[in-house]
Amino acid sequence: MKYHVKDIGLRGKGRKRIEWAERDMPVLRRIRESFSERRPLKGVRVGACLHVTTETANLMLTLKEGGAEVYLCASNPLSTQDDVAASLAKDYGMPVFAVKGEDNRTYYNHINEVLDRKPMITMDDGADLVSTIHMKRKKDAAGVIGSTEETTTGVIRLKSLAKSGLLKFPVIAVNDAATKHLFDNRYGTGQSTIDGIVRATNRLLSGSTFVVSGYGWCGKGVSMRAKGMGANVIVAEVDPLRALEAVMDGFRVMPIAEAAKVGDIFCTVTGDLHVIRKEHFKTMKDGAIVCNSGHFNVELDIKGLKTLTKSRRVIREFVEEYRLKNGRCVYLLADGRLVNLASAEGHPASVMDMSFANQALSAAYLAERGSKLENRVYAVPEAIDKEIAKMKLETLGVKIDVLTAEQKKYLEAWEMGT
Ligand code: ADE
C-alpha cells in the first residue's frame, strides 16, 4: 500500500493520541457502532481532504467501519499531525498522503494521489478536491456520487461553482448544519485559536488589546474567548449587522486602519483576501503579533508586509520576526496559516464529535440517496442535524423538557393570544 507520511516511527504516539480523542467523541462512537452493523458505505471509495488530526482519524475509522475504502490527504500544508498520519498508515492500513510543512507542489501531488484512486464520495475542508476535479480532472467527476464540505470558505466556493452552473455532482454543506457551525466555528475556533496563539508566543493575553477581524461564528468565538482571558477586544467588520452584534456584545468596533495603530495581537477570521494590508502593517506598534485563523493563508497580505521589511528571522517555532524599514518589528505566526491547527492541535475532540458526526451521516446519506440528488449544494437533512443534537445531549447526560399536549396545541393555533 502506498502512503506518504513524515516518519512511520511516530505511529505509537499517534495511535495513543487517536484513542485519547476517541474518548471525547461519543456521538461518533455511536455512529461507528451502528455503521459496523449496517455497513452503509460498503464498497464505497471515499477520498478525504481534511486536516489530518486525531479527530479526523476517528472519522476515517468510522467510515471504514461503515464499509468504505478511505484515502486521506491534508487540507492545509501546516495542519498535519505527523504521528497521526503515521498511525493511520501503519496501524490502520490507510493510504494517507500528508506531511506537516509540505510545499505547495507536494500538497497538490497529495490531492492527486487521492483523486487517482477514483473516489465515489469526496470529503473536503476548503473544497480543494472538488475544485481540482472541476479545473484539472473533469473526467473524474462522472464517478463521483457526491461530496461533503466541512468549512465556511469551502461552502462559499462551492456555492459560487453551483451558481455558475458548472457543479458536476451534489454537495452537502456540512458547515451549515446547526450542530456544526454553532459549536465548531464558535467554541472550537474560539478555544483553539487562543490555544494556538498562546502556545506559539506564551504571551499574557490579560490586559492586551486584541483585534479580531470578522465577526462571523469564528470571530464571535475568538472575541468571546479573548475577552474571557482578560484582553480588551476590538472587532473590525464590513457587515453592518455583524458590526452591530459586536457592539451589543460589548466590543469596541472600528475600521482595521484605526485598530492597526492600537492592537497588540491581531487575528483574522473573515474568509476573505488581504484583510490586513501594507498600509496597516506600517502603522502597527513595535512588537505587534499578527495571525490568521481563517481557512486560507490569504487574509494577511504577507507579500505586502515583505516589501516593508528590512530583515526577517524565525525567533521561535511558528513565530517569524519581520523587522520593518521604519524600525519596528511585527511578529507573524504560523506563516499566516491557520494558527489553531499549525501551532496547536485544532478544535478539541468534543466539538469535532458533532462536526464529524455530520460528515459520517452525510456520507451515508450520499451513498444511499446521492444518485437522486441534483447537482447543487444541499443542507444537511434537518433530521440528521436534530438527531446529532439529541445524541450529544444524551452523551453529556443532559435531559430536556418535552412540550405538553396543551403547549403543542397552543403553538399550532393562530387563534389563541393572551
Ligand atoms: N478543524 C479544526 N479543528 C480540527 C480538528 N481538530 N480536526 C480536524 N479538522 C479541524
Side-chain angles (χ1 to χ4, degrees):
M1 184 198 73
K2 191 172 170 191
Y3 57 81
H4 184 201
V5 302
K6 183 166 186 202
D7 176 3
I8 211 71
L10 298 171
R11 67 190 256 213
K13 182 180 172 207
R15 185 170 189 158
K16 285 192 229 156
R17 292 203 318 110
I18 292 168
E19 287 173 19
W20 174 251
E22 187 194 348
R23 291 193 67 88
D24 237 3
M25 303 184 88
V27 175
L28 199 62
R29 276 205 313 271
R30 275 197 196 181
I31 293 170
R32 199 182 296 182
E33 277 162 28
S34 123
F35 271 19
S36 168
E37 279 172 28
R38 292 195 295 120
R39 308 281 282 173
L41 296 166
K42 189 155 183 273
V44 177
R45 293 184 299 278
V46 178
C49 177
L50 299 171
H51 301 297
V52 180
T53 64
T54 53
E55 293 75 25
T56 298
N58 279 293
L59 170 61
M60 297 296 102
L61 297 175
T62 303
L63 301 177
K64 259 189 107 169
E65 200 65 42
E69 262 180 49
V70 184
Y71 322 106
L72 175 65
C73 65
S75 58
N76 185 298
L78 259 192
S79 63
T80 297
Q81 298 171 3
D82 290 315
D83 56 342
V84 170
S87 175
L88 282 175
K90 203 70 189 170
D91 298 326
Y92 299 101
M94 195 174 289
V96 177
F97 304 92
V99 174
K100 183 161 184 153
E102 63 197 17
D103 58 22
N104 252 25
R105 208 167 61 98
T106 312
Y107 177 79
Y108 283 103
N109 283 345
H110 286 165
I111 284 182
N112 282 312
E113 286 283 2
V114 166
L115 294 179
D116 286 348
R117 284 155 182 80
K118 307 287 177 226
M120 297 146 77
I121 291 178
T122 60
M123 202 170 262
D124 259 322
D125 186 333
D128 280 346
L129 286 178
V130 173
S131 63
T132 305
I133 291 173
H134 283 75
M135 288 191 300
K136 302 221 167 89
R137 304 181 54 132
K138 294 195 173 74
K139 281 194 196 129
D140 289 351
V144 179
I145 304 168
S147 182
T148 62
E149 172 53 52
E150 172 75 8
T151 200
T152 318
T153 296
V155 171
I156 291 170
R157 287 177 92 185
L158 293 165
K159 284 188 175 162
S160 144
L161 181 60
K163 200 169 161 200
S164 67
L166 297 174
L167 182 63
K168 290 180 185 297
F169 41 76
V171 173
I172 298 187
V174 165
N175 178 73
D176 296 355
T179 47
K180 199 279 183 183
H181 68 269
L182 292 179
F183 303 92
D184 169 316
N185 300 27
R186 180 167 35 172
Y187 306 112
T189 307
Q191 178 166 324
S192 62
T193 299
I194 299 298
D195 187 16
I197 295 169
V198 170
R199 286 200 211 189
T201 64
N202 197 27
R203 277 292 168 86
L204 183 71
L205 299 187
S206 196
S208 69
T209 299
F210 193 111
V211 180
V212 180
S213 281
Y215 204 66
W217 290 110
C218 295
K220 287 181 174 75
V222 175
S223 304
M224 173 170 60
R225 292 301 178 240
K227 182 178 176 180
M229 295 290 282
N232 297 302
V233 176
I234 296 175
V235 171
E237 242 303 339
V238 292
D239 180 278
L241 243 172
R242 286 181 174 171
L244 193 56
E245 275 187 284
V247 171
M248 298 280 171
D249 285 343
F251 299 114
R252 279 193 289 163
V253 174
M254 62 182 77
I256 188 65
E258 278 178 45
K261 297 178 205 157
V262 293
D264 298 305
I265 301 173
F266 296 81
C267 182
T268 52
V269 263
T270 69
D272 210 345
L273 183 76
H274 295 172
V275 174
I276 301 187
R277 301 180 291 275
K278 223 166 134 169
E279 64 264 33
H280 307 130
F281 290 121
K282 242 186 208 169
T283 62
M284 284 181 185
K285 294 195 290 191
D286 183 37
I289 291 169
V290 185
C291 67
N292 166 55
S293 211
H295 184 77
F296 284 119
N297 61 335
V298 297
E299 305 208 13
L300 306 170
D301 179 12
I302 298 173
K303 267 196 191 143
L305 174 62
K306 283 181 181 157
T307 65
L308 301 173
T309 299
K310 204 163 56 181
S311 63
R312 286 192 282 149
R313 61 175 176 153
V314 174
I315 191 152
R316 50 186 271 150
E317 204 180 6
F318 303 113
V319 186
E320 194 167 14
E321 180 183 76
Y322 282 69
R323 187 168 290 279
L324 307 191
K325 291 171 195 159
N326 65 14
R328 298 182 203 147
C329 287
V330 169
Y331 292 94
L332 175 67
L333 307 190
D335 222 5
R337 295 196 186 274
L338 281 162
V339 71
N340 60 338
L341 280 139
S343 62
E345 295 170 61
H347 307 350
S350 173
V351 85
M352 293 311 294
D353 190 26
M354 286 189 279
S355 311
F356 285 168
N358 275 291
Q359 285 284 8
L361 295 179
S362 295
Y365 180 82
L366 278 176
E368 195 191 329
R369 302 277 306 272
S371 57
K372 298 190 185 77
L373 301 178
E374 293 165 23
N375 296 346
R376 59 184 177 88
V377 179
Y378 285 85
V380 171
E382 202 185 331
I384 292 182
D385 208 357
K386 281 254 164 72
E387 181 59 23
I388 291 171
K390 217 172 120 233
M391 283 197 279
K392 190 68 178 174
L393 281 173
E394 280 169 11
T395 62
L396 291 168
V398 176
K399 294 196 174 67
I400 58 170
D401 290 316
V402 286
L403 293 173
T404 63
E406 186 191 31
Q407 287 173 326
K408 246 191 195 160
K409 200 169 153 208
Y410 180 82
L411 290 176
E412 283 159 9
W414 62 268
E415 301 94 334
M416 281 192 258
T418 52

